[in-house]
Amino acid sequence: MSITLYTTTGCPLCERYRKLLDQKGQSFEEKNTTENPKYLDELASKQIFTVPTVFVGGEVIEGFRPNSLLELI
């Protein structure tokens, strides 16, 4: 199962997602939209305008919803 976490620099909710995934032993790819604005284009092409956003396999979680993430992992 692949996990991709879209973040922005200085986002406390993004950091909480990182810690949660680390605690659960889940590897993930982080795409920081501050460091690389092309990641904003990736999200916008999917009509998503919020960070943090997490893709777990084919599922997407917009915003900080840790219980939803835990259900998927």
PDB file of all heavy atoms in Angstrom, residues 29-44:
ATOM      1  N   GLU A  29       5.639   8.707   1.261  1.00  0.00           N
ATOM      2  CA  GLU A  29       6.318   9.734   0.476  1.00  0.00           C
ATOM      3  C   GLU A  29       5.724  11.074   0.878  1.00  0.00           C
ATOM      4  O   GLU A  29       4.502  11.243   0.889  1.00  0.00           O
ATOM      5  CB  GLU A  29       6.107   9.500  -1.018  1.00  0.00           C
ATOM      6  CG  GLU A  29       6.720  10.575  -1.881  1.00  0.00           C
ATOM      7  CD  GLU A  29       6.448  10.388  -3.363  1.00  0.00           C
ATOM      8  OE1 GLU A  29       5.650   9.514  -3.724  1.00  0.00           O
ATOM      9  OE2 GLU A  29       7.041  11.147  -4.144  1.00  0.00           O
ATOM     10  N   GLU A  30       6.586  12.022   1.220  1.00  0.00           N
ATOM     11  CA  GLU A  30       6.111  13.359   1.563  1.00  0.00           C
ATOM     12  C   GLU A  30       6.355  14.288   0.389  1.00  0.00           C
ATOM     13  O   GLU A  30       7.442  14.302  -0.188  1.00  0.00           O
ATOM     14  CB  GLU A  30       6.828  13.892   2.798  1.00  0.00           C
ATOM     15  CG  GLU A  30       6.323  15.261   3.191  1.00  0.00           C
ATOM     16  CD  GLU A  30       6.901  15.767   4.494  1.00  0.00           C
ATOM     17  OE1 GLU A  30       7.580  15.010   5.203  1.00  0.00           O
ATOM     18  OE2 GLU A  30       6.658  16.940   4.801  1.00  0.00           O
ATOM     19  N   LYS A  31       5.323  15.047   0.040  1.00  0.00           N
ATOM     20  CA  LYS A  31       5.429  16.040  -1.021  1.00  0.00           C
ATOM     21  C   LYS A  31       5.136  17.411  -0.403  1.00  0.00           C
ATOM     22  O   LYS A  31       3.980  17.745  -0.140  1.00  0.00           O
ATOM     23  CB  LYS A  31       4.465  15.721  -2.169  1.00  0.00           C
ATOM     24  CG  LYS A  31       4.820  14.434  -2.892  1.00  0.00           C
ATOM     25  CD  LYS A  31       3.981  14.238  -4.120  1.00  0.00           C
ATOM     26  CE  LYS A  31       4.446  13.021  -4.919  1.00  0.00           C
ATOM     27  NZ  LYS A  31       3.713  12.902  -6.188  1.00  0.00           N
ATOM     28  N   ASN A  32       6.210  18.174  -0.165  1.00  0.00           N
ATOM     29  CA  ASN A  32       6.090  19.479   0.469  1.00  0.00           C
ATOM     30  C   ASN A  32       5.780  20.527  -0.602  1.00  0.00           C
ATOM     31  O   ASN A  32       6.607  20.804  -1.475  1.00  0.00           O
ATOM     32  CB  ASN A  32       7.382  19.816   1.212  1.00  0.00           C
ATOM     33  CG  ASN A  32       7.276  21.101   1.993  1.00  0.00           C
ATOM     34  OD1 ASN A  32       6.879  22.135   1.475  1.00  0.00           O
ATOM     35  ND2 ASN A  32       7.634  21.032   3.261  1.00  0.00           N
ATOM     36  N   THR A  33       4.597  21.124  -0.512  1.00  0.00           N
ATOM     37  CA  THR A  33       4.141  22.068  -1.530  1.00  0.00           C
ATOM     38  C   THR A  33       4.846  23.420  -1.422  1.00  0.00           C
ATOM     39  O   THR A  33       4.849  24.177  -2.387  1.00  0.00           O
ATOM     40  CB  THR A  33       2.620  22.275  -1.439  1.00  0.00           C
ATOM     41  OG1 THR A  33       2.295  22.813  -0.155  1.00  0.00           O
ATOM     42  CG2 THR A  33       1.880  20.966  -1.651  1.00  0.00           C
ATOM     43  N   THR A  34       5.435  23.714  -0.257  1.00  0.00           N
ATOM     44  CA  THR A  34       6.195  24.954  -0.115  1.00  0.00           C
ATOM     45  C   THR A  34       7.526  24.835  -0.861  1.00  0.00           C
ATOM     46  O   THR A  34       7.934  25.765  -1.560  1.00  0.00           O
ATOM     47  CB  THR A  34       6.472  25.263   1.374  1.00  0.00           C
ATOM     48  OG1 THR A  34       5.232  25.310   2.071  1.00  0.00           O
ATOM     49  CG2 THR A  34       7.197  26.587   1.549  1.00  0.00           C
ATOM     50  N   GLU A  35       8.177  23.696  -0.703  1.00  0.00           N
ATOM     51  CA  GLU A  35       9.469  23.480  -1.338  1.00  0.00           C
ATOM     52  C   GLU A  35       9.345  23.217  -2.828  1.00  0.00           C
ATOM     53  O   GLU A  35      10.269  23.516  -3.595  1.00  0.00           O
ATOM     54  CB  GLU A  35      10.188  22.313  -0.668  1.00  0.00           C
ATOM     55  CG  GLU A  35      10.551  22.597   0.777  1.00  0.00           C
ATOM     56  CD  GLU A  35      11.105  21.389   1.501  1.00  0.00           C
ATOM     57  OE1 GLU A  35      11.311  20.334   0.861  1.00  0.00           O
ATOM     58  OE2 GLU A  35      11.325  21.496   2.720  1.00  0.00           O
ATOM     59  N   ASN A  36       8.228  22.640  -3.253  1.00  0.00           N
ATOM     60  CA  ASN A  36       8.045  22.320  -4.666  1.00  0.00           C
ATOM     61  C   ASN A  36       6.599  22.622  -5.071  1.00  0.00           C
ATOM     62  O   ASN A  36       5.724  21.770  -4.932  1.00  0.00           O
ATOM     63  CB  ASN A  36       8.392  20.852  -4.923  1.00  0.00           C
ATOM     64  CG  ASN A  36       8.564  20.569  -6.390  1.00  0.00           C
ATOM     65  OD1 ASN A  36       8.035  21.291  -7.232  1.00  0.00           O
ATOM     66  ND2 ASN A  36       9.280  19.518  -6.709  1.00  0.00           N
ATOM     67  N   PRO A  37       6.345  23.835  -5.583  1.00  0.00           N
ATOM     68  CA  PRO A  37       4.975  24.240  -5.925  1.00  0.00           C
ATOM     69  C   PRO A  37       4.278  23.356  -6.967  1.00  0.00           C
ATOM     70  O   PRO A  37       3.056  23.388  -7.068  1.00  0.00           O
ATOM     71  CB  PRO A  37       5.143  25.663  -6.451  1.00  0.00           C
ATOM     72  CG  PRO A  37       6.412  26.141  -5.817  1.00  0.00           C
ATOM     73  CD  PRO A  37       7.289  24.923  -5.726  1.00  0.00           C
ATOM     74  N   LYS A  38       5.036  22.537  -7.704  1.00  0.00           N
ATOM     75  CA  LYS A  38       4.372  21.663  -8.689  1.00  0.00           C
ATOM     76  C   LYS A  38       3.428  20.685  -7.984  1.00  0.00           C
ATOM     77  O   LYS A  38       2.479  20.201  -8.575  1.00  0.00           O
ATOM     78  CB  LYS A  38       5.379  20.919  -9.563  1.00  0.00           C
ATOM     79  CG  LYS A  38       6.030  19.728  -8.907  1.00  0.00           C
ATOM     80  CD  LYS A  38       6.882  18.937  -9.877  1.00  0.00           C
ATOM     81  CE  LYS A  38       7.382  17.682  -9.191  1.00  0.00           C
ATOM     82  NZ  LYS A  38       8.146  16.824 -10.058  1.00  0.00           N
ATOM     83  N   TYR A  39       3.698  20.400  -6.697  1.00  0.00           N
ATOM     84  CA  TYR A  39       2.807  19.513  -5.954  1.00  0.00           C
ATOM     85  C   TYR A  39       1.437  20.151  -5.741  1.00  0.00           C
ATOM     86  O   TYR A  39       0.434  19.442  -5.657  1.00  0.00           O
ATOM     87  CB  TYR A  39       3.430  19.099  -4.624  1.00  0.00           C
ATOM     88  CG  TYR A  39       4.690  18.285  -4.768  1.00  0.00           C
ATOM     89  CD1 TYR A  39       5.764  18.492  -3.930  1.00  0.00           C
ATOM     90  CD2 TYR A  39       4.811  17.306  -5.751  1.00  0.00           C
ATOM     91  CE1 TYR A  39       6.933  17.738  -4.055  1.00  0.00           C
ATOM     92  CE2 TYR A  39       5.966  16.554  -5.888  1.00  0.00           C
ATOM     93  CZ  TYR A  39       7.024  16.774  -5.038  1.00  0.00           C
ATOM     94  OH  TYR A  39       8.174  16.023  -5.176  1.00  0.00           O
ATOM     95  N   LEU A  40       1.382  21.485  -5.671  1.00  0.00           N
ATOM     96  CA  LEU A  40       0.077  22.162  -5.602  1.00  0.00           C
ATOM     97  C   LEU A  40      -0.711  21.913  -6.880  1.00  0.00           C
ATOM     98  O   LEU A  40      -1.927  21.721  -6.838  1.00  0.00           O
ATOM     99  CB  LEU A  40       0.262  23.668  -5.398  1.00  0.00           C
ATOM    100  CG  LEU A  40       0.703  24.110  -4.021  1.00  0.00           C
ATOM    101  CD1 LEU A  40       0.986  25.617  -4.026  1.00  0.00           C
ATOM    102  CD2 LEU A  40      -0.348  23.774  -2.977  1.00  0.00           C
ATOM    103  N   ASP A  41       0.000  21.913  -8.014  1.00  0.00           N
ATOM    104  CA  ASP A  41      -0.657  21.638  -9.294  1.00  0.00           C
ATOM    105  C   ASP A  41      -1.207  20.218  -9.325  1.00  0.00           C
ATOM    106  O   ASP A  41      -2.292  19.977  -9.854  1.00  0.00           O
ATOM    107  CB  ASP A  41       0.311  21.856 -10.458  1.00  0.00           C
ATOM    108  CG  ASP A  41       0.754  23.303 -10.596  1.00  0.00           C
ATOM    109  OD1 ASP A  41       0.010  24.201 -10.149  1.00  0.00           O
ATOM    110  OD2 ASP A  41       1.858  23.531 -11.141  1.00  0.00           O
ATOM    111  N   GLU A  42      -0.440  19.264  -8.753  1.00  0.00           N
ATOM    112  CA  GLU A  42      -0.916  17.879  -8.690  1.00  0.00           C
ATOM    113  C   GLU A  42      -2.235  17.806  -7.922  1.00  0.00           C
ATOM    114  O   GLU A  42      -3.176  17.137  -8.350  1.00  0.00           O
ATOM    115  CB  GLU A  42       0.114  16.977  -8.008  1.00  0.00           C
ATOM    116  CG  GLU A  42       1.323  16.668  -8.824  1.00  0.00           C
ATOM    117  CD  GLU A  42       2.312  15.772  -8.089  1.00  0.00           C
ATOM    118  OE1 GLU A  42       1.951  15.163  -7.052  1.00  0.00           O
ATOM    119  OE2 GLU A  42       3.470  15.678  -8.553  1.00  0.00           O
ATOM    120  N   LEU A  43      -2.285  18.487  -6.783  1.00  0.00           N
ATOM    121  CA  LEU A  43      -3.513  18.476  -5.979  1.00  0.00           C
ATOM    122  C   LEU A  43      -4.649  19.186  -6.708  1.00  0.00           C
ATOM    123  O   LEU A  43      -5.775  18.693  -6.751  1.00  0.00           O
ATOM    124  CB  LEU A  43      -3.269  19.135  -4.614  1.00  0.00           C
ATOM    125  CG  LEU A  43      -2.425  18.346  -3.627  1.00  0.00           C
ATOM    126  CD1 LEU A  43      -2.147  19.196  -2.391  1.00  0.00           C
ATOM    127  CD2 LEU A  43      -3.115  17.055  -3.228  1.00  0.00           C
ATOM    128  N   ALA A  44      -4.357  20.350  -7.272  1.00  0.00           N
ATOM    129  CA  ALA A  44      -5.389  21.127  -7.964  1.00  0.00           C
ATOM    130  C   ALA A  44      -5.985  20.350  -9.133  1.00  0.00           C
ATOM    131  O   ALA A  44      -7.184  20.458  -9.402  1.00  0.00           O
ATOM    132  CB  ALA A  44      -4.815  22.460  -8.441  1.00  0.00           C
TER     133      ALA A  44
END
